[in-house]
Amino acid sequence: MSAFASELANRQPLSQQRLLATSIPGPRSLELMSRKLGAVAAGVGTTMPVFAERAGGGIVVDVDGNQFIDLGSGIAVTTVGASAPRVVAAVQEQAAAFTHTCFMVTPYEGYVAVAEALNRVTPGRHPKRTALFNSGAEAVENAVKIARVHTGRQAVVVFDHAYHGRTNLTMAMTAKNMPYKHGFGPFASEVYRAPLSYPFRDGNRDGVLAALQAIDIIEKQVGAAHVAAVVIEPIQGEGGFIEPAGGFLPALATWCRENGAVFVADEVQTGFARTGDLFACDREGVVPDLIVTAKGIAGGLPLSAVTGRAEIMDAVHIGGLGGTYGGNPLACAAALAAIETIEAEGMVGRAREIEDLMLARLRDIQGRDSRVGDVRGRGAMIAVELVHAGTDVPDPELAKAVAAASHQQGVIVLTCGTYGNVLRLLPPLAISDALLHDGLDVLAAALAGVR
Ligand SMILES: *Cc1c(COP(=O)(O)O)cnc(C)c1O
């Protein structure tokens, strides 16, 4: 055993508690931050002022020994935990065997096994195929490429508040200008935006009606015969954890089927037990033609996938899909271990328990504080939309202040939303109830402390 491997084996398991050892940020994080400013491009920002050293369960430890409760999972990535035992073991074993050959040169079993696993666990029992990539954005782009070849059409329909990534095509598909698109144009063409069902803001709880309004715009402004794909997040992520009213997704899927368009679910953020179902589409029994996954897929290693109907996926000519690192063997080993962990540990059920705990606590806070406009979400993907007291006017300053105060008290919490006024809670499913309660106590105190 190498010195490093034996050190790893001897490490104590991370104590699952919040602990403030220094002021936040501590001296070593301050020093690293000044090195970051001198070495890393300014455009790469950070949410937290501290540098990580270790993470596991529901805890992130910084370089000064502070222990943070993780309500972010590295943006919904470490769903099974930041160093889930099965993932660590699988990656170590694969790293010792080989780190890369390129699947397009010398293929290996891990890639095929991940494809088989995704074909098995994604919605629908029809014949499927999968292709693997590195990032969510890359997979979204490939879903569009596949849909265009299959349909022979070009137009891509996306929605208000959508987030699909930062590459040129996915910037065009993403709604929000600042910071994702500002100054980065011109953007890819043939991308069209339709209105989303957003019950808190449009006051409409009839998802079928909302879908008919979106469909009317698609038919009038794009033309059904031009639509290659309708791409939608079943619950929006960066856009504000917006859950469309019931019936919205099924109505859109039906319209796609009737009009020869490919219905693409971007489950990059909602996938892999995050929302209390294996995939968010499962809740209403929606079967997408293509489903895009990434983030929670591989316990923290970079991997993404497009999975879908065999006849659509196989429409692309041989050699048309791929990439040097797509389906890297380490990432594939991690994905198989993450999927096994989700199934063996009953993590879908755990996500629903986390939902019950968080919604109860947050609705209690909402009942006492009229600045909490809306509490929503499913599973371990829960949002608090903050407004000026008693109105529906977004209050991004309040969200920022509550997040910053929580960071100071040892809780990692993120904000999101078109208006920047949404606190989003994305704990790893490996977190304990005790840590969740402590984290929500801190959040409640932070909210009460900002006036
Ligand atoms: C994060 C995200 C993406 C982009 O994934 P990257 O891995 O950052 O490229 C795409 N779609 C959704 C819904 C996301 O949440």
Side-chain angles (χ1 to χ4, degrees):
M1 211 189 279
S2 73
F4 181 63
S6 61
E7 190 213 309
L8 272 182
N10 290 332
R11 269 193 186 174
Q12 297 299 316
L14 241 175
S15 82
Q16 293 296 304
Q17 57 188 354
R18 182 168 61 98
L19 192 150
L20 296 176
T22 67
S23 54
I24 307 294
R28 297 185 65 194
S29 278
L30 279 172
E31 196 185 310
L32 284 167
M33 195 56 84
S34 87
R35 280 173 56 196
K36 175 202 175 262
L37 291 175
V40 179
V44 184
T46 69
T47 301
M48 298 291 296
V50 299
F51 281 72
E53 187 166 273
R54 254 187 100 184
I59 289 289
V60 175
V61 188
D62 78 3
V63 289
D64 293 289
N66 298 297
Q67 301 207 164
F68 292 83
I69 298 175
D70 186 4
L71 299 184
S73 298
I75 317 188
V77 169
T78 52
T79 304
V80 295
S83 46
R86 287 182 185 82
V87 173
V88 173
V91 171
Q92 284 174 335
E93 194 180 321
Q94 180 59 46
F98 62 95
T99 56
H100 176 83
T101 60
C102 187
F103 188 77
M104 301 179 302
V105 178
T106 316
Y108 37 87
E109 183 178 353
Y111 188 119
V112 178
V114 170
E116 288 168 346
L118 292 175
N119 295 346
R120 173 174 65 83
V121 299
T122 50
R125 301 272 65 91
H126 47 280
K128 294 178 204 160
R129 302 282 187 268
T130 287
L132 300 179
F133 306 96
N134 302 288
S135 69
E138 192 187 0
V140 170
E141 289 225 3
N142 276 279
V144 170
K145 284 160 66 172
I146 294 162
R148 282 177 171 161
V149 169
H150 170 73
T151 58
R153 306 172 180 178
Q154 294 184 348
V156 178
V157 174
V158 293
F159 291 83
D160 287 334
H161 312 286
Y163 182 86
H164 297 293
R166 296 172 181 263
T167 59
N168 189 265
L169 175 58
T170 58
M171 271 195 296
M173 296 168 70
T174 288
K176 193 175 177 178
N177 173 52
M178 197 57 136
Y180 308 121
K181 306 168 74 162
H182 191 76
F184 295 141
F187 304 111
S189 59
E190 288 304 312
V191 175
Y192 301 89
R193 199 166 304 283
L196 180 80
S197 162
Y198 188 167
F200 174 64
R201 296 211 163 270
D202 64 22
N204 173 18
R205 307 217 160 251
D206 182 343
V208 175
L209 187 68
L212 289 176
Q213 289 162 354
I215 288 165
D216 188 53
I217 284 185
I218 296 169
E219 290 181 341
K220 299 293 187 307
Q221 298 185 11
V222 189
H226 297 294
V227 178
V230 172
V231 184
I232 188 164
E233 301 154 84
I235 301 176
Q236 283 193 332
E238 309 300 305
F241 283 22
I242 304 165
E243 184 182 1
F248 188 74
L249 295 171
L252 285 174
T254 300
W255 182 87
C256 284
R257 202 174 318 119
E258 287 169 352
N259 289 277
V262 177
F263 183 75
V264 181
D266 178 350
E267 293 233 23
V268 168
Q269 191 152 159
T270 50
F272 299 101
R274 174 57 57 188
T275 63
D277 292 282
L278 207 40
F279 295 94
C281 278
D282 290 334
R283 188 65 62 102
E284 289 187 279
V286 170
V287 177
D289 298 313
L290 302 181
I291 181 167
V292 181
T293 53
K295 292 201 167 96
I297 192 174
L301 273 83
L303 186 73
S304 64
V306 181
T307 300
R309 295 186 187 283
E311 67 275 18
I312 300 176
M313 294 294 294
D314 284 343
V316 178
H317 45 281
I318 291 174
L321 302 176
T324 306
Y325 291 111
N328 169 271
L330 300 178
C332 285
L336 292 171
I339 293 168
E340 188 192 322
T341 302
I342 289 167
E343 292 181 331
E345 309 284 329
M347 283 193 157
V348 168
R350 179 60 189 148
R352 292 202 177 201
E353 290 173 5
I354 290 172
E355 168 183 328
D356 289 344
L357 189 160
M358 292 207 293
L359 285 183
R361 292 285 315 263
L362 294 167
R363 290 201 168 127
D364 179 57
I365 296 169
Q366 182 181 25
R368 287 181 278 111
D369 194 329
S370 61
R371 297 171 301 169
V372 178
D374 195 21
V375 172
R376 59 173 178 262
R378 301 204 304 250
M381 185 172 179
I382 303 292
V384 180
E385 179 156 358
L386 298 175
V387 293
H388 288 280
T391 72
D392 65 356
V393 180
D395 193 346
E397 287 77 23
L398 179 60
K400 221 172 137 184
V402 172
S406 302
H407 300 163
Q408 286 298 320
Q409 291 304 313
V411 175
I412 299 174
V413 56
L414 309 172
T415 60
C416 68
T418 296
Y419 313 107
N421 65 325
V422 176
L423 296 170
R424 54 164 154 178
L425 308 178
L426 290 162
L429 302 181
I431 198 170
S432 67
D433 280 1
L435 277 183
L436 280 174
H437 278 299
D438 189 19
L440 292 169
D441 286 344
V442 167
L443 207 69
L447 183 63
V450 183
R451 279 291 159 194

